[in-house]
Amino acid sequence: MKKLVVDIDKFHEFASGDVETRKEMAELFVDQAQLYLQELLSAHECDEVEEWRDVAHKFKGMAGFAGAVRLRESCWRAQNEYIADRGERTAMLSGITQDVIQSIECFQEYVGS
Amino acid sequence: MFSGICGELIMEYHPHARFEYEHAISKSKMDAPSLWRCFHFEFQELPDGMDIEKLAQKIYNIFRSLPGSFYFDPRTRMSVFCKMDATIVVDDIIYKIKSLIKADFMCRLGEQSMIKDGVVALQFLFSPTSHEQQKLSQEFIAQERMNRQYDVVMVVEDDLFARNIATNALKGKFKVVEVADGGKAVQEYLSHSPDIVFLDIHLPNKKGYQILDEILELDPKAFVVMLSADAAKESVTQCVKSGAKGFVAKPFRGEKLFDYVRKCPTIRVYC
């Protein structure tokens, strides 16, 4: 079974508040996800393994709060699995990018609803 | 062993030195009681290897080098009964005692009281400067909390999204101070004297464990709760051993933070 991209119930559970507050949080996710993806890419290109782990950790935390299930899992792998190899990281980054795009689409839809 | 008593007045050992003085000071034995002072010297956390008996002997020597009369009782609270005149300056004596300790010590005046016939008793407390600074910062923080009309919660978290989750949950009831940079957390703690701190472990520039240690050094009663996505048993144990009041695993619901807010003794808002 294909895993849910964003579990909106989880998002509502953590991002408490009124509709406007939740929409603001969804917009914040869209902005921050792009920022973190950029930071991951930069750490990858510079072979900064520790920086890569730190960003992946932070990204994983945000994805958890947002209910971005798939993104959280791919960030967990990026933080904890073997990442010294550039090729491994490239593959991970590609997966994370896909998850980010899909998560952003979900939240943009949520904001527009 | 150092005998401790000198001068013409013989004092019997008694656990309450002040009681002795009350009996010892009498106009028949002593001229102008108002010129006499009773000094009590107390020492906290003397450096390793410093022997209180030897220190007493050296303090005795300081007084012996001064003109005038004195009585010395090192057995109780290292008390000296000294006749003050123009040549005896308390600051000089304190300076000399501090030099004897050979460590970074401060001296502050403790209790002041009047004993029989107008004789003034003064207590001098010697303690490490770091200890005194901690005390000052603690007093300052406690005062700040008492003086304000609201409660302050500090959230130290570098991820803006997680910080907003916490802030949105808390801001209706408390003033929320947000800190993103681990390197600024301790400074912000001193600036805002928060009642409770939610402190992330993985932070840029300074890790949460180190911040926790530094905050507790300044304010041992600080109410700090750690936040982390890494909810491993070792992390929780380490935080609690270090003095954190609790641990909240990420992601968390706002209500989870209130569980700790309610336990914080200085929070006045009902929640």
Side-chain angles (χ1 to χ4, degrees):
Chain A
M1 192 181 139
K2 201 177 170 189
K3 200 139 205 174
L4 198 64
V5 177
V6 175
D7 181 344
I8 287 295
D9 290 339
K10 279 272 173 219
F11 173 65
H12 284 171
E13 185 185 336
F14 299 124
S16 56
D18 55 22
V19 177
E20 280 312 303
T21 308
R22 283 173 171 167
K23 285 190 174 178
E24 277 172 23
M25 291 302 289
E27 284 171 347
L28 181 62
F29 175 87
V30 171
D31 294 343
Q32 289 295 109
Q34 292 173 77
L35 189 74
Y36 288 155
L37 187 60
Q38 193 57 47
E39 286 180 13
L40 263 184
L41 183 65
S42 166
H44 169 62
E45 283 173 352
C46 303
D47 285 322
E48 296 276 3
V49 175
E50 278 312 303
E51 176 67 12
W52 165 280
R53 281 194 205 280
D54 286 347
V55 178
H57 173 78
K58 212 158 50 167
F59 211 167
K60 179 191 74 181
M62 182 178 77
F65 277 111
V69 184
R70 282 217 313 244
L71 178 60
R72 189 185 188 204
E73 282 186 6
S74 48
C75 288
W76 186 91
R77 283 197 299 276
Q79 184 193 349
N80 295 295
E81 287 182 4
Y82 179 72
I83 50 162
D85 180 68
R86 242 184 120 80
E88 290 280 339
R89 285 204 312 270
T90 306
M92 279 180 184
L93 197 56
S94 166
I96 290 172
T97 306
Q98 283 304 311
D99 293 338
V100 168
I101 291 167
Q102 288 177 5
S103 303
I104 285 177
E105 279 171 3
C106 286
F107 279 110
Q108 280 173 335
E109 198 179 310
Y110 179 84
V111 172
S113 63
Chain B
M1 186 177 149
F2 173 51
S3 68
I5 308 294
C6 69
E8 59 204 30
L9 182 66
I10 304 299
M11 296 193 297
E12 295 295 319
Y13 173 76
H14 193 284
H16 302 290
R18 197 167 298 170
F19 173 80
E20 284 299 324
Y21 298 136
E22 285 186 12
H23 287 271
I25 304 163
S26 69
K27 282 175 184 165
S28 61
K29 287 184 177 175
M30 198 167 292
D31 62 322
S34 63
L35 290 177
W36 288 78
R37 294 286 180 278
C38 176
F39 299 134
H40 299 296
F41 298 115
E42 292 204 8
F43 300 89
Q44 293 171 342
E45 297 175 35
L46 279 172
D48 288 344
M50 176 139 278
D51 184 339
I52 193 80
E53 290 284 331
K54 284 181 185 158
L55 184 62
Q57 174 73 71
K58 286 175 181 170
I59 293 172
Y60 166 80
N61 289 336
I62 291 173
F63 280 90
R64 202 168 62 169
S65 69
L66 297 170
S69 309
F70 74 100
Y71 305 102
F72 192 93
D73 183 1
R75 294 167 303 179
T76 54
R77 290 199 295 172
M78 200 159 324
S79 306
V80 182
F81 198 41
C82 171
K83 187 178 181 183
M84 302 293 288
D85 58 32
T87 54
I88 296 180
V89 181
V90 177
D91 285 352
D92 288 345
I93 298 168
I94 299 301
Y95 177 77
K96 284 176 182 166
I97 296 175
K98 277 201 285 186
S99 307
L100 290 175
I101 300 171
K102 289 179 185 150
D104 192 7
F105 262 58
M106 280 173 74
C107 174
R108 67 187 161 87
L109 189 59
E111 270 177 51
Q112 301 174 60
S113 55
M114 192 81 83
I115 52 179
K116 201 176 179 182
D117 293 328
V119 175
V120 176
L122 302 168
Q123 181 192 35
F124 292 97
L125 300 160
F126 292 81
S127 49
T129 301
S130 56
H131 187 274
E132 286 299 308
Q133 280 169 344
Q134 185 192 61
K135 208 163 192 173
L136 279 174
S137 55
Q138 265 180 275
E139 282 168 13
F140 172 79
I141 289 164
Q143 197 66 39
E144 285 282 294
R145 285 181 190 141
M146 286 240 298
N147 289 345
R148 67 190 177 213
Q149 304 297 314
Y150 50 86
D151 299 322
V152 178
V153 179
M154 192 163 115
V155 178
V156 189
E157 165 64 64
D158 59 331
D159 174 37
L160 180 59
F161 196 87
R163 210 164 64 235
N164 275 15
I165 294 276
T167 304
N168 286 344
L170 298 162
K171 70 183 178 189
K173 297 212 177 233
F174 310 103
K175 180 187 171 186
V176 182
V177 176
E178 295 179 52
V179 183
D181 181 354
K184 290 181 181 165
V186 177
Q187 187 55 47
E188 291 294 309
Y189 186 88
L190 280 174
S191 302
H192 297 279
S193 310
D195 296 276
I196 182 166
V197 182
F198 290 105
L199 175 62
D200 188 24
I201 291 175
H202 294 273
L203 287 164
N205 300 321
K206 200 177 273 184
K207 295 293 168 206
Y209 297 123
Q210 195 185 341
I211 296 166
L212 173 68
D213 288 344
E214 289 179 22
I215 288 177
L216 289 173
E217 200 169 306
L218 287 166
D219 179 14
K221 290 180 182 169
F223 202 98
V224 183
V225 178
M226 307 305 283
L227 304 174
S228 182
D230 175 21
K233 196 181 171 188
E234 307 84 71
S235 299
V236 180
T237 311
Q238 189 184 342
C239 292
V240 174
K241 266 188 186 166
S242 303
K245 297 291 187 289
F247 184 96
V248 178
K250 291 197 279 188
F252 51 79
R253 288 178 295 110
E255 190 52 36
K256 187 71 193 166
L257 303 182
F258 280 94
D259 288 349
Y260 284 101
V261 170
R262 287 185 201 103
K263 288 178 188 164
C264 176
T266 60
I267 291 276
R268 292 163 288 192
V269 171
Y270 177 77
C271 54

